[in-house]
Amino acid sequence: MKKSLKTCTYRVLPFLVTAALLTGCTAVAATTDSSGTTTSATAAVAVDDSTTAAEVLAANQETHDDADDYEWDDADVVAITLDGDGASTDSASTDSGAVTISGSTVTITAAGTYELTGTLDDGQIVVASSGEGTVRLILNGVEVTNSAGAALVVSEADEAMIVLADGSTNSLADTDSYAEDDDANAALYSAADLTITGTGSLDVTGNGNDGITSADGLVINSGTITVTAVDDGIRGKDYLVVDGGTITVTAGGDGLKSDNEEDVTRGYIALTGGTVDVTAAGDGMQAFTDIVFSGADVTVESGGGHTAAVSEDVSAKGVKSGVVTVVDGGTLTVDAADDALHSDGTVRIASGDVTLAAGDDGVHADSALDIIGGTTTVTTSNEGLESMAISIGGGTVSVTSSDDGLNASSGSTTTTETGDAAAQGGGGGGMDSDGGETITITGGTTVINADGDGFDSNGSATMSGGTLVVNGPTNSGNGALDVNGTFTVTGGTLLAAGSAGMAVSPEAGSEQSFVAIALDSTEAAGTVVQLVDSAGDVVMAFESIKDFQSVVFSSDELVDGETYSVYVGGTASGEIADGVYSDGDYSAATNSTTVTAGVAATGTMGGGGGGAGGGGPR
C-alpha cells in the first residue's frame, strides 16, 4: 500500500530579494566576527505597493521540500523496535547493512523508510547515509534519552524526514553539556535538509544547548511539536519554514532562528501556516536576512515581556530580521522587553492582525517602514513606530507610546533655526534642520496616543489621504505634531490635539487647508471642541481622551482664508474616527475663539518641530 501525506509541492524563497520592499532603497544586514571581519547581506529591488508575501514566495527558488518526499510504500517500511538499552530489527535489514545496532546506538546507513517504536534509555538514533534519496523516520511512540550527546542525529543524508505517526506521542532529550567542538549539539540535530511532518506529537528537550537544529534547511509541515531548550529552540541555518502544525517553544536563548551569514540568499524564516507560540529569554525570532508571516497564528514573548528589564548585552527583541520583515496574513502577537518588530532594513505590513507590546519600539526599521493594510495595534511602547522613512497607505493603525508615537529618525540631527521657520514662528520646520527623514500618509486610519511627540519627523512629512488622529502630549516640551522640515497636506483628514507649547501645523499654502486652534487654557479630557463655519454648520467635532490646549484640523471641507468659530462643550455625533466626529450640537457650548483657515500655529515656546525639549532624535 502506498502512503501519501502530502499532494502539493511547497515553494519558499530566500526573501532577501525583497530587501527594498518598502521603498526601493538598499537594505544591509551586517555582522562582525571576533576578528573584526564584517559580513553583509545587501539587496536593492524596486517593487510597488501591490507586492505581497504570496508574490514574493512564488517568485523565488524552492526549498528542499518536495511532494515526492511524502510518499512511500508500506511494504518497504523497515521496522525498528527500541527496547530499553538495546534495539532490534529484521535480519534482512541488518544483513544488508542498512541498519546496524551496537548496544543502545541504532545507526541507519541507507535511504528508505524506517518505523521506530519503543524506548531507548541513554542511547542514540544515528542516520549516516552517503547515498542519494531521502531517509524517512516514522516515529510511532518513541522515547529516546541520551546523557552523552544528541538523542537523534542525522550526520549525513541527501535529505531527512521525520514523520510523527498518527496518534503517537514521541520524545527526545539530550545531554546537559556539549564540548565546544561538537557539531551535533541539539537534542534533534541534522547536518542535512530536514522535514518534520505527520499528525502525532513530538516533545524535544534540549538540556545542553538547542532543541532542534538543522545545519541546512528545516521545514515543519505539520504535527504538534513542543520544544524546551537552554539555548535556541528551533534553528534552521539556511532557512526555517513552518507550513503548519502546532509549535510551542520555550528557549533560554532565541526562540526561532536562521543564521546563515555566508550566503545572502539564505538565513531566512517563513511562517506560512499553523500555530506558533514562542517564549524566549533572547530574541523571539531572529533571521540574518528575512522573516515573512503569511498565514500562521503566531505569539511571541521575548526577554520576559515589555515590563521586564534586560541587560545591555542581551538582545530581547520579539521579531528581528537583518534585511526585511513582511507581514501579509495571519495573526502576530508580540510582547517584547526590547523592540517588538525590528529590522536592520525594512518592515512591511500588508495584511493580517498585528498586536505589539514593547519595552522599547513597537516597530523599528532602520531603513523604511511601510503599512499598506491589515490591523496594527501597538498597545504599549516607548516609541510606537520608528524608521528613517515611515509610510502608511492603508489598514488600521493604533499606537500608544510613552514617548513619540510616530518617529521618523535616523538617530542624528542638527539644531539650527531655519530662516522660514524663524520668520513664521510655526508650521513645518523649526529649531532642528531637516535631516532627510520622511513620514508619508496616503491612506488608512491611524490613531496615536503619545506622551511625547505624537507625530514626529526629523525631516519632512506629507499627507495626501487617509485619516490621522493624534492625541498628543500634555506637557509643553513636546507637541502633537513635530516636523523639522516641511509638512504639507493635500488630502485626507487630520486631527491633532495636545499641549500648546510646541504647537506645529501644516505649511501655510498647503493644497488642503487647515485650522490651528490655540485655546486660552488647558481643557480637561472628555471636553468636546467644535468647529463651526459661517453658515452655522459643524465642520468638525472632537472629544479628547486627555488634557489639551491646542487642536490642528485639516480636511477638504475647509476653505483657505475663511473664518471659523470654535466652541468648547456641547455634544458630538457621527464618529468618523476615534474621537473625531462629523457633526455636533453646540447650543450649550461656549464660543471660545475664532480661527482663520491656512494660518500656521504659533507655539508659545517658539513652535515648529525640534523646539526646546521636543525635537531631537529618539
Side-chain angles (χ1 to χ4, degrees), residues 495 528-531 538-544 553 567 569 571-577 579-585:
L495 190 293
V528 174
V529 174
Q530 303 187 59
L531 187 69
V538 174
V539 178
M540 174 278 300
F542 171 65
E543 184 174 358
S544 178
F553 174 70
Y567 287 81
T571 59
S573 59
E575 188 171 37
I576 58 176
V580 182
Y581 300 82
S582 61
D583 203 355
D585 181 352

Side-chain angles (χ1 to χ4, degrees), residues 243-302:
D243 294 326
T246 301
I247 300 169
T248 304
V249 174
T250 303
D254 300 329
L256 306 184
K257 190 170 188 174
S258 185
D259 58 354
N260 188 325
E261 301 178 5
E262 299 173 355
D263 184 344
V264 296
T265 69
R266 300 301 190 184
Y268 65 86
I269 297 173
L271 304 178
T272 68
T275 301
V276 180
D277 190 340
V278 176
T279 303
D283 296 325
M285 299 182 189
Q286 181 193 122
F288 184 70
T289 57
D290 311 314
I291 301 178
V292 169
F293 302 87
S294 61
D297 295 320
V298 181
T299 303
V300 177
E301 180 187 291
S302 64

Side-chain angles (χ1 to χ4, degrees), residues 83-107:
D83 186 14
D85 59 358
S88 61
T89 187
D90 61 82
S91 58
S93 299
T94 54
D95 291 344
S96 67
V99 179
T100 60
I101 299 171
S102 176
S104 59
T105 300
V106 178
T107 303

Side-chain angles (χ1 to χ4, degrees), residues 468-471 493-497 540 542 551-554 579-580:
L468 173 63
V469 180
V470 181
N471 297 282
T493 300
L494 165 67
L495 190 293
M540 174 278 300
F542 171 65
V551 179
V552 174
F553 174 70
S554 176
V580 182

